[in-house]
Amino acid sequence: MADTGDLDELLRAMASAHRRSILQHVWVCERGAGELADRLGLAPASVSEHLKVLRKIGLVAMRVDGTYRLYQAQPERLRELLLLLAQTFPDPSSTSSNEGQHE
């Protein structure tokens, strides 16, 4: 299970609109960094840096196919991190009516 350090990393990773776009583009199918750069209008070096962040937290996996490096989202990792987020910030309507009230 993820820890709060993972939650911090998730929030930092998802704070970037470019990383969210990359994650959306690799959600359903594998894509190469060059293709991502073309689709998003970003420099290849920039896409590589964003992919590095996403790989570090485990949201994206890479596989090598010949000379190509292909990237794909890891939905199970995102679910794990979203669960941690939900546990950290539970739905206030599901807690006791006296919790968190000030006198």
Side-chain angles (χ1 to χ4, degrees), residues 6 9-27 31 33 36 40 42 46-62 71-78 81:
D6 284 344
E9 290 294 320
L10 169 70
L11 295 174
R12 273 193 287 278
M14 298 309 286
S16 166
H18 292 309
R19 286 193 284 271
R20 290 191 306 271
S21 292
I22 289 169
L23 193 58
Q24 287 175 320
H25 279 84
V26 298
W27 193 257
R31 298 190 191 277
L36 289 167
L40 298 171
L42 298 173
S46 177
V47 169
S48 292
E49 283 301 311
H50 289 304
L51 285 166
K52 181 179 175 182
V53 171
L54 293 169
R55 285 182 60 210
K56 180 181 176 187
I57 192 171
L59 289 174
V60 170
M62 179 197 70
Y71 300 88
Q72 184 149 17
Q74 300 297 294
E76 63 281 353
R77 179 66 171 146
L78 183 58
L81 293 168

Side-chain angles (χ1 to χ4, degrees), residues 78-93:
L78 183 58
R79 282 191 291 275
E80 179 183 314
L81 293 168
L82 289 174
L83 178 60
L84 179 61
L85 187 61
Q87 291 169 345
T88 303
F89 300 100
D91 182 356
S93 65

